[in-house]
Amino acid sequence: MYELTINLHMHTTYSDGTGSHADLGHAALKTGVDVLLVTDHNVLVQGVDAYYHEGKKRVLVLACEEIHDQGRVPQKNHLLVFGADEELATLADNPQTLVSAVRRLGGLSFIAHPVESAMPDFGETAISWEDWTVTGLTGIEIWNGFSELKSIARGKLDTVFYAFFPEAIPHGPLPETLHIWDDLLAKGQRLVAIGGSDAHALRIPLGPFHKTVFPYEYHFSTINTHTLTPKPLTGKLAEDRQMVFEALAAGHCFVGNDLPAPTHGFRFSAQSREANVMMGDETAMTGPVTLQIKLPTIAEIRLIKNGRCIKKTTGESLVYVTNDPGFYRVEAYKRYLGKSRGWIFSNPIYLK
Ligand SMILES: [Zn+2]
Ligand SMILES: [Zn+2]
């Protein structure tokens, strides 16, 4: 398998970001990202899908969309839509109709920032997800780089600190979000976890100047979704696009915070007598199954079964043999800037 680093969920000047698609492409070339999924609010920008090159480096930029009902007060229910190829923002007032339409068109839908806090000092409301009865979703954004600021900054002073030291922001997915995700998995919903940056590269006035806070390069080095694909990028746009969306739809991916250390190389797989599967996959149990976890470097590893931690250790790998059906996923934590922080969050392997 090949690993692609995808940064997803970001905004350009077509909505409330400050850069163009080309700016994003060039910023990504300075980092290790392979693919960008750009999600402007309620507009599917046409004609911007492209590769950007610099020397031997290549980045694939794909226009997707973040859809919400602009008439809804207060603002809730933001949905990331990938690969639907049709403007669906007019369906935003009914999340179920919207999600069903995405599925009918062969697209992918992910709940964006499912749990959020308000930031009253800045007039920011909590844009959480409300309609938990919606079915047919592809998955859920368990970690959102920009949204996390809203839950950790306690007032204006904190926010100014984080504006100057954004590396201190990522702590991990909100426990409540992970809890909701585990609950839905336990009810049989196969929701794929992704991590988004929600990059805007905001420009704020600072005396006679402007400062760009949380620049695109910062976000592209932070929370990424890493997919495992059968091939590397081929350079053929339609083919690569399909391969990326197929890997995400299958849950062949993990969320990595690449600030404490690169997460590239993480693997989580299961071997039984009959099958060898990876995260996102299901396998029938006819005997013991060996779960294998491999990290790129030493960290605290937690193996989670049906939402409960069943094994905690520190190391670069973990092998665990089980006879019990359930959904198994991995979390890894690493110290960075004086704290233990969320580093890697895998999709589950389903043992039936
Ligand atoms: Zn949003
Ligand atoms: Zn957004």
Side-chain angles (χ1 to χ4, degrees), residues 125-152:
T125 57
I127 309 176
S128 307
W129 184 265
E130 299 279 296
D131 289 28
W132 290 105
T133 54
V134 170
T135 57
L137 288 152
T138 311
I140 180 169
E141 184 187 49
I142 57 163
W143 199 354
N144 176 307
F146 187 62
S147 174
E148 187 174 4
L149 176 69
K150 292 169 86 170
S151 43
I152 59 163

Short mmCIF file of all heavy atoms in Angstrom, two decimals, residues 125-152:
data_model
loop_
_atom_site.label_atom_id
_atom_site.label_comp_id
_atom_site.label_asym_id
_atom_site.label_seq_id
_atom_site.Cartn_x
_atom_site.Cartn_y
_atom_site.Cartn_z
N THR A 125 -20.33 31.78 17.29
CA THR A 125 -21.25 30.86 17.95
C THR A 125 -20.74 29.42 17.80
O THR A 125 -19.80 29.17 17.05
CB THR A 125 -22.65 30.96 17.32
OG1 THR A 125 -22.53 30.68 15.92
CG2 THR A 125 -23.24 32.35 17.52
N ALA A 126 -21.35 28.50 18.53
CA ALA A 126 -20.97 27.09 18.45
C ALA A 126 -21.70 26.46 17.27
O ALA A 126 -22.92 26.30 17.32
CB ALA A 126 -21.32 26.38 19.75
N ILE A 127 -20.95 26.10 16.25
CA ILE A 127 -21.59 25.53 15.05
C ILE A 127 -21.46 24.01 15.10
O ILE A 127 -20.67 23.40 14.38
CB ILE A 127 -20.97 26.12 13.76
CG1 ILE A 127 -20.96 27.65 13.84
CG2 ILE A 127 -21.76 25.66 12.53
CD1 ILE A 127 -20.28 28.35 12.67
N SER A 128 -22.23 23.41 15.99
CA SER A 128 -22.17 21.95 16.16
C SER A 128 -23.12 21.29 15.17
O SER A 128 -23.82 21.95 14.42
CB SER A 128 -22.59 21.60 17.59
OG SER A 128 -21.82 22.33 18.51
N TRP A 129 -23.11 19.95 15.21
CA TRP A 129 -24.07 19.18 14.41
C TRP A 129 -25.26 18.85 15.29
O TRP A 129 -25.08 18.48 16.46
CB TRP A 129 -23.41 17.89 13.90
CG TRP A 129 -24.29 17.09 13.00
CD1 TRP A 129 -25.10 16.06 13.35
CD2 TRP A 129 -24.47 17.27 11.59
NE1 TRP A 129 -25.77 15.59 12.24
CE2 TRP A 129 -25.40 16.31 11.15
CE3 TRP A 129 -23.93 18.17 10.64
CZ2 TRP A 129 -25.81 16.20 9.83
CZ3 TRP A 129 -24.34 18.05 9.32
CH2 TRP A 129 -25.25 17.08 8.92
N GLU A 130 -26.46 19.01 14.81
CA GLU A 130 -27.66 18.80 15.62
C GLU A 130 -28.46 17.58 15.20
O GLU A 130 -29.08 16.93 16.02
CB GLU A 130 -28.59 20.03 15.49
CG GLU A 130 -27.99 21.32 15.98
CD GLU A 130 -28.06 21.48 17.48
OE1 GLU A 130 -29.16 21.57 18.02
OE2 GLU A 130 -26.98 21.49 18.12
N ASP A 131 -28.45 17.30 13.89
CA ASP A 131 -29.38 16.29 13.36
C ASP A 131 -28.77 14.89 13.37
O ASP A 131 -28.42 14.33 12.32
CB ASP A 131 -29.83 16.68 11.94
CG ASP A 131 -30.74 17.89 11.98
OD1 ASP A 131 -30.62 18.70 12.90
OD2 ASP A 131 -31.60 18.01 11.08
N TRP A 132 -28.68 14.30 14.56
CA TRP A 132 -27.99 13.02 14.72
C TRP A 132 -28.80 11.84 14.19
O TRP A 132 -28.33 10.70 14.22
CB TRP A 132 -27.59 12.79 16.17
CG TRP A 132 -26.49 13.72 16.58
CD1 TRP A 132 -26.58 14.84 17.36
CD2 TRP A 132 -25.11 13.65 16.16
NE1 TRP A 132 -25.36 15.47 17.46
CE2 TRP A 132 -24.43 14.75 16.74
CE3 TRP A 132 -24.37 12.77 15.35
CZ2 TRP A 132 -23.07 14.99 16.53
CZ3 TRP A 132 -23.02 13.01 15.15
CH2 TRP A 132 -22.38 14.10 15.74
N THR A 133 -30.02 12.08 13.74
CA THR A 133 -30.82 10.97 13.19
C THR A 133 -30.54 10.76 11.70
O THR A 133 -31.03 9.81 11.11
CB THR A 133 -32.32 11.23 13.37
OG1 THR A 133 -32.62 12.51 12.81
CG2 THR A 133 -32.72 11.21 14.84
N VAL A 134 -29.77 11.66 11.10
CA VAL A 134 -29.47 11.56 9.67
C VAL A 134 -28.73 10.26 9.38
O VAL A 134 -27.80 9.88 10.10
CB VAL A 134 -28.62 12.77 9.21
CG1 VAL A 134 -28.10 12.57 7.78
CG2 VAL A 134 -29.45 14.05 9.28
N THR A 135 -29.15 9.55 8.34
CA THR A 135 -28.47 8.32 7.93
C THR A 135 -27.85 8.50 6.55
O THR A 135 -28.22 9.40 5.81
CB THR A 135 -29.45 7.14 7.89
OG1 THR A 135 -30.52 7.48 6.99
CG2 THR A 135 -30.03 6.84 9.26
N GLY A 136 -26.92 7.63 6.23
CA GLY A 136 -26.30 7.66 4.91
C GLY A 136 -25.03 8.48 4.83
O GLY A 136 -24.46 8.67 3.75
N LEU A 137 -24.55 8.98 5.98
CA LEU A 137 -23.30 9.75 6.00
C LEU A 137 -22.11 8.83 5.73
O LEU A 137 -22.14 7.65 6.08
CB LEU A 137 -23.11 10.37 7.38
CG LEU A 137 -24.04 11.53 7.74
CD1 LEU A 137 -24.24 11.60 9.25
CD2 LEU A 137 -23.44 12.85 7.24
N THR A 138 -21.05 9.39 5.16
CA THR A 138 -19.80 8.62 5.02
C THR A 138 -19.04 8.63 6.33
O THR A 138 -18.45 7.63 6.72
CB THR A 138 -18.90 9.24 3.93
OG1 THR A 138 -19.66 9.47 2.77
CG2 THR A 138 -17.71 8.34 3.63
N GLY A 139 -19.04 9.78 7.01
CA GLY A 139 -18.23 9.83 8.22
C GLY A 139 -18.33 11.13 8.98
O GLY A 139 -19.27 11.91 8.81
N ILE A 140 -17.31 11.34 9.79
CA ILE A 140 -17.33 12.43 10.77
C ILE A 140 -15.92 13.00 10.93
O ILE A 140 -14.95 12.24 10.97
CB ILE A 140 -17.91 11.88 12.11
CG1 ILE A 140 -17.97 12.94 13.19
CG2 ILE A 140 -17.12 10.67 12.61
CD1 ILE A 140 -18.78 12.48 14.42
N GLU A 141 -15.83 14.31 11.00
CA GLU A 141 -14.54 14.98 11.20
C GLU A 141 -14.27 14.98 12.71
O GLU A 141 -14.80 15.81 13.44
CB GLU A 141 -14.64 16.41 10.65
CG GLU A 141 -13.37 17.22 10.70
CD GLU A 141 -13.62 18.67 10.29
OE1 GLU A 141 -14.56 19.31 10.81
OE2 GLU A 141 -12.87 19.17 9.45
N ILE A 142 -13.45 14.04 13.16
CA ILE A 142 -13.26 13.90 14.62
C ILE A 142 -12.34 14.98 15.18
O ILE A 142 -12.32 15.21 16.38
CB ILE A 142 -12.73 12.50 15.03
CG1 ILE A 142 -11.40 12.17 14.33
CG2 ILE A 142 -13.78 11.43 14.79
CD1 ILE A 142 -10.63 11.03 14.98
N TRP A 143 -11.55 15.60 14.31
CA TRP A 143 -10.60 16.61 14.79
C TRP A 143 -10.56 17.74 13.77
O TRP A 143 -10.36 17.48 12.57
CB TRP A 143 -9.22 15.97 14.95
CG TRP A 143 -8.26 16.70 15.84
CD1 TRP A 143 -8.42 17.92 16.42
CD2 TRP A 143 -6.97 16.23 16.25
NE1 TRP A 143 -7.33 18.24 17.17
CE2 TRP A 143 -6.42 17.23 17.08
CE3 TRP A 143 -6.22 15.09 16.00
CZ2 TRP A 143 -5.15 17.10 17.67
CZ3 TRP A 143 -4.97 14.96 16.57
CH2 TRP A 143 -4.43 15.95 17.39
N ASN A 144 -10.78 18.96 14.23
CA ASN A 144 -10.79 20.12 13.35
C ASN A 144 -9.85 21.16 13.94
O ASN A 144 -10.06 21.66 15.05
CB ASN A 144 -12.23 20.66 13.24
CG ASN A 144 -12.34 21.93 12.41
OD1 ASN A 144 -11.64 22.91 12.66
ND2 ASN A 144 -13.23 21.91 11.43
N GLY A 145 -8.79 21.47 13.21
CA GLY A 145 -7.71 22.32 13.72
C GLY A 145 -8.16 23.70 14.14
O GLY A 145 -7.70 24.23 15.17
N PHE A 146 -9.03 24.31 13.36
CA PHE A 146 -9.45 25.68 13.66
C PHE A 146 -10.52 25.69 14.75
O PHE A 146 -10.50 26.50 15.67
CB PHE A 146 -9.98 26.34 12.39
CG PHE A 146 -10.29 27.80 12.55
CD1 PHE A 146 -9.29 28.70 12.88
CD2 PHE A 146 -11.58 28.26 12.37
CE1 PHE A 146 -9.58 30.05 13.03
CE2 PHE A 146 -11.88 29.61 12.53
CZ PHE A 146 -10.88 30.51 12.86
N SER A 147 -11.42 24.73 14.65
CA SER A 147 -12.52 24.64 15.62
C SER A 147 -12.00 24.36 17.03
O SER A 147 -12.58 24.81 18.02
CB SER A 147 -13.48 23.53 15.17
OG SER A 147 -14.47 23.31 16.11
N GLU A 148 -10.88 23.64 17.11
CA GLU A 148 -10.33 23.31 18.43
C GLU A 148 -9.99 24.57 19.23
O GLU A 148 -10.11 24.60 20.45
CB GLU A 148 -9.09 22.40 18.29
CG GLU A 148 -8.60 21.91 19.65
CD GLU A 148 -7.47 20.90 19.57
OE1 GLU A 148 -6.98 20.62 18.46
OE2 GLU A 148 -7.07 20.40 20.64
N LEU A 149 -9.57 25.61 18.52
CA LEU A 149 -9.26 26.89 19.18
C LEU A 149 -10.45 27.38 19.99
O LEU A 149 -10.29 27.90 21.10
CB LEU A 149 -8.88 27.93 18.11
CG LEU A 149 -8.61 29.35 18.62
CD1 LEU A 149 -7.34 29.40 19.44
CD2 LEU A 149 -8.52 30.32 17.45
N LYS A 150 -11.66 27.15 19.45
CA LYS A 150 -12.87 27.63 20.12
C LYS A 150 -13.11 26.90 21.45
O LYS A 150 -13.76 27.44 22.32
CB LYS A 150 -14.09 27.48 19.20
CG LYS A 150 -14.03 28.42 17.98
CD LYS A 150 -15.09 28.09 16.93
CE LYS A 150 -16.42 28.76 17.20
NZ LYS A 150 -17.34 28.62 16.03
N SER A 151 -12.59 25.69 21.57
CA SER A 151 -12.81 24.98 22.83
C SER A 151 -11.67 25.15 23.82
O SER A 151 -11.86 24.95 25.02
CB SER A 151 -13.10 23.50 22.60
OG SER A 151 -12.25 22.97 21.65
N ILE A 152 -10.46 25.55 23.35
CA ILE A 152 -9.35 25.67 24.31
C ILE A 152 -9.05 27.12 24.72
O ILE A 152 -8.47 27.34 25.78
CB ILE A 152 -8.06 24.99 23.81
CG1 ILE A 152 -7.59 25.60 22.48
CG2 ILE A 152 -8.23 23.49 23.67
CD1 ILE A 152 -6.15 25.26 22.18
#
